[in-house]
Amino acid sequence: MATYIVKPNQNLFDVALHLYGSIEGIFDLMISNPELSMTSDLSFGQELVYHEEFIINASIVNEFQKQNITPSSGSRHVYFKRPDRDLIFLIGVNADMALTHIKVAGEGEMLVDWGDNSNLESIILTSSVQQIEHYFDSEVEKRRIKIYGDTNTLKFTQLDTTGLGGSLLLCRPVVVDEYVCRGRGYSLTGLTLLNGTYKVDLSNGIISDLLPIANMSLQELNLTDVYYMTDEVLDDYLVYVKEHYNDRRPCTVYLTTTPSERGFEAIDTILREPEWNVSDTWKFYINNELYIPKTIENGTVTE
């Protein structure tokens, strides 16, 4: 058994998510702490015991630790809603936002807990893109939006989280053909569980690391007007693609940042490798111009 110290504004479900990676961990908490019930209020500094080996979703627990995130939605008159579907997305949004929205298309049903006192919203995905808007009906210090669904039937042909204004954390693998998030500055780590994704648009964003999407076999990647936190971010991505090509599809990449010599060497290798340019060819557009790799003839480098 281990001991957990309740953090400020945490409720029972926050603690369960933090310790076990799933709100289902609440049952171990109540078994380990008989004085607790589903409606118990927690106080800052309160000690709870739990079985530290009983982790339901290790990837979520590790992600919380890696990004130093402590779930703390608190009560603050926002009641908890428990659907009978899997938790797929957890989005932390700015608490002072009055309006948020998400754009979706695909098939299946998703349930949205907007993190306020509104009822769970059921959204039936269609082939046409829908913009789902929501006005928050409560004020909180921290807000978490939760999206639930059956990952066997829920599939996104397009998922645009630009309007959510927060960092996206995936709790389960889900099919997303096209992912869009423009003008944001959050970690891409939450995208590692996207399946089947062939198009990603991160234009106008602030990006510290592209490696979370480096294993995606993309057909199109839009990185126009992106600000990179360090000069190595783009180069590291290009080198990774070159060194871990595997069974990728040829991709069209849009850039407005010029790679360094190391990045261009990776691009040249990708473009010159015949086996990687059979069904289609890789294309790199840098500042709206198609990049043509250098060739070597008789020891002389030519354009």
Side-chain angles (χ1 to χ4, degrees), residues 4-8 10-26 29 48 50 52 54-73 87 90 142 146 169:
Y4 181 82
I5 306 300
V6 176
K7 308 302 186 294
Q10 282 195 312
N11 59 35
L12 198 57
F13 303 98
D14 294 327
V15 175
L17 191 62
H18 199 194
L19 293 177
Y20 309 100
S22 170
I23 58 175
E24 280 76 12
I26 194 172
L29 282 175
L48 301 176
Y50 67 102
E52 56 187 334
F54 183 64
I55 296 179
I56 299 174
N57 194 326
S59 64
I60 300 300
V61 174
N62 293 336
E63 193 62 24
F64 281 141
Q65 294 175 349
K66 183 178 179 180
Q67 297 196 40
N68 195 29
I69 295 174
T70 300
S72 57
S73 57
L87 176 62
L90 179 65
K142 293 184 179 180
K146 303 180 181 71
L169 180 64

Side-chain angles (χ1 to χ4, degrees), residues 246-264:
N246 300 322
D247 297 322
R248 294 176 186 270
R249 295 171 286 202
C251 181
T252 299
V253 183
Y254 297 93
L255 303 171
T256 47
T257 297
T258 303
S260 71
E261 181 178 351
R262 186 167 69 99
F264 272 122

Side-chain angles (χ1 to χ4, degrees), residues 192-207:
T192 55
L193 293 180
L194 295 184
N195 282 340
T197 306
Y198 65 82
K199 181 177 180 180
V200 171
D201 183 352
L202 301 172
S203 55
N204 298 101
I206 301 173
I207 298 177

Side-chain angles (χ1 to χ4, degrees), residues 54-218:
F54 183 64
I55 296 179
I56 299 174
N57 194 326
S59 64
I60 300 300
V61 174
N62 293 336
E63 193 62 24
F64 281 141
Q65 294 175 349
K66 183 178 179 180
Q67 297 196 40
N68 195 29
I69 295 174
T70 300
S72 57
S73 57
S75 55
R76 289 185 291 280
H77 309 294
V78 175
Y79 66 86
F80 175 76
K81 297 170 280 290
R82 180 183 176 83
D84 57 353
R85 311 290 174 84
D86 296 329
L87 176 62
I88 302 175
F89 299 118
L90 179 65
I91 305 106
V93 300
N94 295 331
D96 57 355
M97 289 181 63
L99 170 67
T100 190
H101 72 266
I102 184 173
K103 294 180 181 179
V104 291
E107 57 185 61
E109 178 189 21
M110 62 185 243
L111 296 176
V112 183
D113 178 354
W114 293 105
D116 59 9
N117 284 320
S118 62
N119 293 326
L120 286 168
E121 182 172 359
S122 171
I123 300 169
I124 305 299
L125 272 59
T126 66
S127 57
S128 300
V129 176
Q130 305 176 65
Q131 177 167 307
I132 313 300
E133 297 183 345
H134 183 78
Y135 288 90
F136 295 111
D137 67 3
S138 64
E139 294 183 359
V140 294
E141 295 178 14
K142 293 184 179 180
R143 193 182 303 281
R144 299 288 183 266
I145 297 174
K146 303 180 181 71
I147 298 179
Y148 301 85
D150 181 351
T151 53
N152 293 316
T153 58
L154 181 62
K155 299 177 181 178
F156 295 90
T157 54
Q158 185 176 120
L159 174 64
D160 185 339
T161 63
T162 302
L164 291 178
S167 54
L168 178 71
L169 180 64
L170 267 71
C171 303
R172 293 177 181 272
V174 63
V175 173
V176 176
D177 292 342
E178 301 180 13
Y179 178 73
V180 179
C181 187
R182 303 186 184 99
R184 296 297 175 188
Y186 301 102
S187 169
L188 304 182
T189 305
L191 305 184
T192 55
L193 293 180
L194 295 184
N195 282 340
T197 306
Y198 65 82
K199 181 177 180 180
V200 171
D201 183 352
L202 301 172
S203 55
N204 298 101
I206 301 173
I207 298 177
S208 60
D209 188 4
L210 281 168
L211 294 183
I213 65 169
N215 286 316
M216 292 182 180
S217 180
L218 300 176

Side-chain angles (χ1 to χ4, degrees), residues 223-228 234 254-259 264 286-287:
L223 296 173
T224 58
D225 297 317
V226 166
Y227 173 79
Y228 301 102
L234 178 58
Y254 297 93
L255 303 171
T256 47
T257 297
T258 303
F264 272 122
I286 303 176
N287 293 312

Side-chain angles (χ1 to χ4, degrees), residues 266-286:
I267 291 176
D268 288 349
T269 299
I270 293 169
L271 293 175
R272 286 200 295 250
E273 175 55 55
E275 293 184 359
W276 299 349
N277 295 272
V278 176
S279 60
D280 197 357
T281 58
W282 278 78
K283 299 179 182 66
F284 288 87
Y285 287 91
I286 303 176

